[in-house]
Amino acid sequence: MMVINDVRNLTVGVIGLGSMGAPMARNLLARRPAGTAVHVQSRRPESLTPFVESGAIAQATPRELALAAEIVVVMLPDLAQIEQVLTGPDGLLAGIDTTHTLVVCSSISPTGLRELAARLDAATSGLLRVVDAPVSGGTEGAEAGTLSIMVGGDNADVARVLPVLETMGTPLHLGPLGSGQVAKACNQMIVAATMTAVAEAAVVAERAGLDVAALLPLLQGGYAGSRVLETKADRLIAKDYSPTGIAAFMVKDLTAAVAEADATGTTARQLRTTLGIFEDLVDAGLGEQDLAVVHRFAEIDGAE
């Protein structure tokens, strides 16, 4: 059974209640010890109703959420969306008048994360601290509260937010600020390459006359088995590409991974090839569908 650290007397805010952020917030509400206040904010006020019914406190603007919560968790698609909730008269920065910690669960580039933290430190005279905590495990892990959470930041900042993250999964402090984003980039390298290999294998097998519905479970029991194959096999069999997380985001994540590879002097040939595949997939108009849509792309690539 997961052991949840004591987070009594903390005030926590959550912004970004999409397919990942919503179940993360629900687990925070369900697993919080008595006395922990959870605040939520969204551009769509109607989306806050189920969270309020579960005990959250709705705030009209990011500024009001910052005034109410000392720890703010953001789960937004990219840096541009984070900047939007930070700035302006109703932005988070307008509500920073005491020490706060911003927990960035979004997947963004390590460099972008560090630059953001430096700007926020200067803008708030050190009052707003930043921890990066991107996650892996998909919507399934978010719903179950079993996410792998990759954490970067100063020791004291991370210690402050670990009890919150423990309600959502298993956080691990990997090093200084940006370490979580580097780890997430590495994670996405593996996920993208594995998803592509599984999708292409399924197309080859189907065209050779094999029953893919029988083959994929068989492969899962051998060396080809993976979490990606386990969670995406049914989608490949049914050719169901309805989005949980959209494939286009992989271009952003793999681009960040390439930048990190360049910074570390790593050739990373497979990474660059995989990035090219997902860039072509987006150009083909498939980017707004689930990651499993690489299967559809493998079917049409070179066939039309």
Side-chain angles (χ1 to χ4, degrees):
M1 180 178 179
M2 184 181 300
V3 177
I4 304 300
N5 290 340
D6 190 354
V7 294
R8 285 175 296 185
N9 303 318
L10 285 181
T11 50
V12 184
V14 181
I15 297 178
L17 299 170
S19 60
M20 292 293 293
M24 291 166 67
R26 286 194 292 268
N27 278 315
L28 172 61
L29 282 163
R31 298 178 175 186
R32 58 180 174 149
T36 301
V38 176
H39 301 259
V40 289
Q41 191 275 328
S42 173
R43 289 180 300 176
R44 297 184 300 109
E46 65 274 12
S47 69
L48 301 179
T49 300
F51 299 97
V52 172
E53 290 173 348
S54 296
I57 302 164
Q59 299 295 344
T61 66
R63 174 183 175 275
E64 292 179 22
L65 183 134
L67 289 170
E70 61 190 302
I71 295 172
V72 178
V73 178
V74 292
M75 176 52 95
L76 296 165
D78 203 353
L79 186 57
Q81 289 78 21
I82 297 174
E83 297 274 13
Q84 288 174 6
V85 302
L86 284 167
T87 56
D90 289 325
L92 273 170
L93 287 177
I96 302 297
D97 56 2
T98 59
T99 300
H100 283 62
T101 307
L102 180 69
V103 184
V104 180
C105 291
S106 313
S107 297
I108 62 177
S109 76
T111 299
L113 185 280
R114 296 184 189 109
E115 291 174 349
L116 173 67
R119 294 199 307 272
L120 296 180
D121 184 70
T124 64
S125 300
L127 288 179
L128 182 55
R129 306 292 298 170
V130 177
V131 168
D132 61 313
V135 306
S136 181
T139 54
E140 301 91 352
E143 292 284 355
T146 57
L147 292 169
S148 293
I149 307 176
M150 297 155 269
V151 186
D154 291 344
N155 289 339
D157 298 332
V158 171
R160 190 175 304 116
V161 305
L162 277 179
V164 174
L165 295 175
E166 285 171 350
T167 67
M168 305 170 184
T170 302
L172 179 64
H173 186 194
L174 296 167
L177 190 68
S179 297
Q181 299 298 342
V182 173
K184 182 58 186 284
C186 294
N187 179 87
Q188 297 301 78
M189 290 171 62
I190 296 169
V191 170
T194 304
M195 185 71 254
T196 301
V198 170
E200 291 181 353
V203 173
V204 170
E206 184 175 36
R207 289 178 175 175
L210 277 64
D211 181 356
V212 174
L215 175 64
L216 295 185
L218 177 67
L219 296 182
Q220 180 63 20
Y223 275 170
S226 69
R227 181 66 175 155
V228 171
L229 178 53
E230 178 187 350
T231 58
K232 298 299 185 180
D234 287 345
R235 284 180 169 269
L236 299 187
I237 294 165
K239 299 188 178 183
D240 173 13
Y241 311 130
S242 55
T244 53
I246 67 172
F249 289 160
M250 192 58 79
V251 173
K252 163 182 65 75
D253 295 342
L254 295 179
T255 299
V258 167
E260 203 63 26
D262 290 343
T264 58
T266 307
T267 302
R269 292 189 176 123
Q270 180 170 268
L271 164 61
R272 297 171 201 276
T273 298
T274 309
L275 172 58
I277 291 169
F278 276 89
E279 288 175 332
D280 291 346
L281 180 155
V282 171
D283 289 343
L286 301 174
E288 296 303 308
Q289 300 187 63
D290 189 80
L291 182 64
V293 80
V294 71
H295 178 245
R296 173 61 180 152
F297 182 67
E299 289 182 320
I300 65 174
D301 188 29
E304 296 183 352

